[in-house]
Amino acid sequence: MPEYTRLIHNYLRHDKKFPHVWCPGCGNGILLGSLIRAIDKTKFSKDEIVLVSGIGCSGRLPVYVDFNTLHTTHGRALTYATGVKLANPSLNVIAIMGDGDSMAIGGNHFIHAARRNIDITAIILNNSIYGMTGGQYSPTTPYGMRASTAVYNSIEQAFKISELAVTAGAVFVGRQTVYNAKLLDTLIERAILKKGFSVVEVITHCHTQYGRQNKLGSAVDMLKWQRDNAVPVDKAAKMSPEELEGKIITGVLVDKDLPVYEEEYEKVRARAKGLA
Amino acid sequence: MSKGKQPLLLQGNEAIVEGAIAAGCRFFAGYPITPATEIAEGMSVKMPIVDGTFVQMEDEIGSMGAIIGASLTGVKAMTATSGPGFSLMQENLGFACITEVPCVVVNVMRGGPSTGLPTNPAQGDIMQSRWGTHGDHPIIVLCPHSVEECFYVTIKAFNLSERYRVPVILTTDEVTAHMREKITLPDPETLEIIDRVRPNVPPDWYIPYEDNSIGVPPMSAFGDGYRYHVTGLVHDVRGFPTSRPDEVDAFIRRLHRKIDKGLSYIQEGEYFLMDDAEVAVIAYSSVARSAKQAALLAREKGLKVGVFRPITLWPFMRQAVEDILKNVRAVIVPEMNMGQYSREVKRVDQGYARIVTLNRVDGQVITPDDILRKLKEVY
């Protein structure tokens, strides 16, 4: 049996009525493939994985895969993930969010989850737009770009998700494009295996909304743009800010160790019982 | 949990902590807010001792999300708040309703709207506790009126949430929360503790939202091998999103039916001097204490007054209230709001009795004298 057939049979839900909700050419499916390959490499059993999502196109991802799956409210995925992980630390918790989901309505939960350093993997699909609701500008829509609520172009500055995650205290932060799916596989695998709060920012395209409104071409054109503008982090270190304008810095931005919440809480339990 | 028969002098908020631990609560997520903070403080001290978990979240939205997540792993979970925080919890409270995740939310009522009167009692959240989250949903709201009852009603809140797979709101007010009374905690073995029913079929056979005679499907915990999908979208029996009218209708009706069928178990009230009462006072939480005292004072003057005190505020105790309305000349409904529970009493009145409201919204408790004065007017 070819490898992809084995993965499909093992990880996709047979009783879920396909097809999925995403547009043909969407990058969400590429991320789903990467995620499955990464989880398969980690050797965690399906029972040990809890996949949590919020609302939006990204929020629909967990329903297709055969894990413990939890499709929560808009922006709140990390709060549910926090409860799941702290109540049963033996579970491996992965939260899938979009850019609006994690940075706008869920921005506060995101920075506090990063600060708290619970062992959760946060994967953010950043397509620079609210896709499901029809292409409104999001916190990551670049200045000057068009959206259905910014037909005179966006006048807001965009969040840099990964840089925000680093500042908020995440112990592992990486960014990759869906074009570089192989690199995305290994990045996600590392993030899952990392103890503590880890973030993977996935640069993807929404040709249906963002691409159409900004005349960026087809899904293939937008994938080529990712290929041509991704700069690995070590190469970016040698470039000037002007040269990096409009580029996507990819790779691991931070990988450090800090006390993990669940392990610290075990010490709290010991102190509370007068044992330490 | 403190053991033995030694009487304790506890606040209502502290008794809620003890009740939660006795009920088996092992996860608490919260955010500081007056006048509910003592519950979070108590849980932060006691959860680690009983191998439970306390986490202080970034806001009440997060607290609500965290307790739902915890409950999905099979752990009994609670949060506690007051008006502004309770408003923030409403969205995720609806998620617990539609996904049928057991959890307990304590709302210590203070004056509102908005920041209102943080250190004063009120009863302005009666309708919010029923209809705060959007959409058509059943909910259970319980209301103790003493420190001892804070303990027992907290246990009841957990038991009902586990039995019916619903969020249960335990609503108190600033007076009940901060008042200190003597309480003797019972031997834990004497308490009836209900745990959610878990599936006993092999995982392949598990249909997570399948209807049954009680309308409450068994609930598996994440990690137990029953991998299933939990979503805030309306879902079919397998948990997958659906908009098929027949599936949607059956789902929403089941949510209501499971509560309707349990009314006799869910609804509880206290009848005080009601046997021969000609005028009744219907009151809840701290106001019920004043009502009882007023009834005693009225009886001294020869007025046959009784008190009915609903402990279950929602679902509304329609049958009990109707029976009272048929047997008395008049009913007084004193409330620390402009009339919320009284609207329900009026709604079920078919001209049986005269209904008089007594409203106090100055941040002060309704006193026995306030009620007695009204009783003399009405009698």
Side-chain angles (χ1 to χ4, degrees):
Chain A
M1 196 193 308
E3 179 67 358
Y4 65 84
T5 310
R6 182 185 70 79
L7 292 174
I8 286 170
H9 276 266
N10 193 27
Y11 290 103
L12 293 190
R13 276 190 165 128
H14 304 282
D15 49 359
K16 172 75 189 92
K17 298 158 215 152
F18 279 88
H20 56 68
V21 297
W22 301 317
C23 306
C26 179
N28 287 9
I30 304 176
L31 178 265
L32 177 58
S34 264
L35 181 67
I36 288 172
R37 289 188 293 273
I39 290 173
D40 191 64
K41 285 223 176 78
T42 63
K43 304 289 181 210
F44 283 111
S45 76
K46 291 191 286 186
D47 287 334
E48 290 172 293
I49 302 281
V50 181
L51 207 55
V52 189
S53 70
I55 294 291
C57 296
S58 67
R60 299 303 185 96
L61 187 143
V63 73
Y64 305 113
V65 273
D66 187 20
F67 302 119
N68 305 286
T69 54
L70 175 55
H71 175 210
T72 72
T73 46
H74 195 25
R76 321 299 177 202
L78 286 170
T79 70
Y80 288 74
T82 296
V84 170
K85 183 66 184 178
L86 294 185
N88 185 352
S90 71
L91 295 169
N92 200 292
V93 182
I94 302 166
I96 311 281
M97 295 166 284
D99 44 296
D101 204 23
S102 65
M103 290 292 112
I105 190 165
N108 199 34
H109 304 307
F110 179 78
I111 56 175
H112 286 279
R115 174 184 68 80
R116 221 171 261 133
N117 200 30
I118 297 171
D119 187 15
I120 294 170
T121 306
I123 298 176
I124 300 168
L125 278 155
N126 181 4
N127 62 4
S128 309
I129 202 89
Y130 287 92
M132 186 166 269
T133 46
Q136 298 76 31
Y137 70 97
S138 88
T140 58
T141 302
Y143 176 88
M145 299 305 277
R146 188 187 158 112
S148 71
T149 46
V151 292
Y152 310 111
N153 296 350
S154 172
I155 55 171
E156 297 183 15
Q157 298 297 321
F159 255 140
K160 293 178 176 175
I161 296 177
S162 292
E163 284 74 5
L164 178 71
V166 171
T167 309
V171 292
F172 182 92
V173 180
R175 177 163 43 210
Q176 197 49 263
T177 64
V178 289
Y179 175 84
N180 287 301
K182 286 274 183 196
L183 293 171
L184 189 56
D185 291 4
T186 50
L187 188 63
I188 293 173
E189 185 191 347
R190 276 183 71 182
I192 292 171
L193 293 172
K194 177 74 184 181
K195 279 276 171 205
F197 191 78
S198 47
V199 178
V200 177
E201 180 187 357
V202 182
I203 304 295
T204 183
H205 52 279
C206 178
H207 53 289
T208 306
Q209 299 296 350
Y210 186 70
R212 179 178 52 82
Q213 295 194 54
N214 288 288
K215 299 185 169 54
L216 301 176
S218 66
V220 174
D221 294 326
M222 292 180 80
L223 280 161
K224 283 179 180 163
W225 178 88
Q226 291 171 20
R227 176 194 66 193
D228 297 339
N229 287 280
V231 180
V233 67
D234 46 350
K235 191 177 169 196
K238 297 173 197 135
M239 292 165 68
S240 69
E242 292 74 34
E243 289 173 312
L244 284 172
E245 193 65 41
K247 300 287 181 193
I248 312 159
I249 301 173
T250 58
V252 176
L253 276 68
V254 73
D255 184 358
K256 64 181 182 184
D257 291 302
L258 283 173
V260 178
Y261 191 99
E262 307 89 280
E263 291 164 11
E264 291 298 302
Y265 201 77
E266 278 304 325
K267 297 178 193 166
V268 169
R269 288 192 182 123
R271 288 201 289 274
K273 293 172 194 165
L275 299 173
Chain B
M1 177 184 175
S2 318
K3 287 215 176 71
K5 297 277 177 269
Q6 200 74 2
L8 302 168
L9 186 66
L10 293 185
Q11 280 189 339
N13 280 344
E14 291 166 342
I16 288 172
V17 170
E18 296 296 338
I21 292 168
C25 175
R26 290 298 177 270
F27 187 92
F28 183 94
Y31 187 83
I33 187 166
T34 304
T37 307
E38 292 85 2
I39 301 174
E41 288 175 340
M43 288 304 242
S44 78
V45 172
K46 302 225 164 168
M47 275 292 108
I49 296 173
V50 295
D51 286 317
T53 306
F54 167 89
V55 61
Q56 185 167 306
M57 295 299 287
E58 53 275 11
D59 55 32
E60 290 87 348
I61 301 170
S63 305
M64 194 65 220
I67 66 165
I68 296 170
S71 184
L72 281 164
T73 72
V75 175
K76 291 185 188 177
M78 182 172 95
T79 185
T81 189
S82 185
F86 191 51
S87 294
L88 286 177
M89 288 177 182
Q90 295 303 330
E91 182 201 20
N92 283 338
L93 194 61
F95 186 88
C97 291
I98 199 170
T99 56
E100 300 172 76
V101 174
C103 54
V104 173
V105 176
V106 183
N107 176 29
V108 183
M109 288 186 288
R110 68 190 217 186
S114 190
T115 312
L117 294 165
T119 58
N120 293 59
Q123 297 176 319
D125 304 350
I126 300 307
M127 284 297 170
Q128 192 192 13
S129 65
R130 175 62 192 91
W131 294 113
T133 195
H134 60 276
D136 204 1
H137 62 282
I139 201 142
I140 297 172
V141 182
L142 305 179
C143 182
H145 84 318
S146 69
V147 169
E148 187 175 44
E149 219 177 56
C150 281
F151 177 84
Y152 287 104
V153 176
T154 302
I155 295 171
K156 180 175 171 121
F158 275 98
N159 284 348
L160 292 179
S161 82
E162 293 285 318
R163 173 178 282 224
Y164 296 103
R165 291 188 59 178
V166 285
V168 173
I169 294 160
L170 180 69
T171 188
T172 69
D173 62 51
E174 191 275 335
V175 172
T176 323
H178 285 154
M179 170 177 65
R180 286 186 184 274
E181 284 183 307
K182 191 171 89 171
I183 176 173
T184 306
L185 297 179
D187 185 346
E189 272 91 71
T190 63
L191 299 167
E192 189 202 16
I193 304 297
I194 297 174
D195 296 325
R196 67 193 69 170
V197 175
R198 299 216 184 179
N200 56 8
V201 294
D204 284 351
W205 297 5
Y206 182 51
I207 302 172
Y209 292 96
E210 189 177 32
D211 200 357
N212 54 27
S213 60
I214 52 167
V216 185
M219 183 176 176
S220 86
F222 281 175
D224 276 1
Y226 296 82
R227 297 180 303 275
Y228 74 111
H229 189 57
V230 179
T231 177
L233 288 163
V234 171
H235 37 272
D236 61 20
V237 291
R238 296 201 170 268
F240 297 135
T242 183
S243 51
R244 250 178 59 183
D246 58 328
E247 291 178 339
V248 176
D249 186 76
F251 173 68
I252 299 293
R253 287 183 190 280
R254 178 174 64 75
L255 291 187
H256 286 81
R257 178 166 55 85
K258 67 178 179 181
I259 299 302
D260 291 343
K261 288 188 84 159
L263 284 185
S264 61
Y265 188 80
I266 294 165
Q267 292 182 333
E268 185 181 346
E270 182 192 359
Y271 295 83
F272 183 78
L273 305 176
M274 281 298 289
D275 285 346
D276 61 342
E278 290 178 13
V279 171
V281 182
I282 299 182
Y284 51 92
S285 87
S286 59
V287 175
R289 301 169 72 93
S290 296
K292 285 186 191 175
Q293 182 62 22
L296 290 170
L297 293 170
R299 293 243 167 201
E300 280 176 20
K301 296 184 195 317
L303 309 181
K304 287 183 176 173
V305 173
V307 176
F308 172 66
R309 179 173 68 86
I311 296 170
T312 307
L313 293 184
W314 302 105
F316 179 66
M317 294 180 69
R318 181 180 189 135
Q319 194 59 54
V321 170
E322 271 181 359
D323 290 347
I324 290 163
L325 289 170
K326 285 175 188 165
N327 286 299
V328 296
R329 280 190 283 120
V331 166
I332 297 176
V333 189
E335 290 182 277
M336 291 187 281
N337 59 44
M338 289 302 283
Q340 296 194 13
Y341 198 80
S342 62
R343 295 178 76 119
E344 289 296 300
V345 177
K346 287 175 183 168
R347 184 171 66 82
V348 300
D349 183 29
Q350 301 289 318
Y352 305 129
R354 184 176 159 213
I355 294 164
V356 179
T357 57
L358 167 56
N359 310 105
R360 193 156 181 178
V361 287
D362 59 353
Q364 302 301 307
V365 198
I366 296 180
T367 64
D369 275 351
D370 291 337
I371 297 171
L372 189 61
R373 227 173 291 126
K374 190 61 95 180
L375 277 168
K376 284 177 184 162
E377 272 174 45
V378 170
Y379 199 80

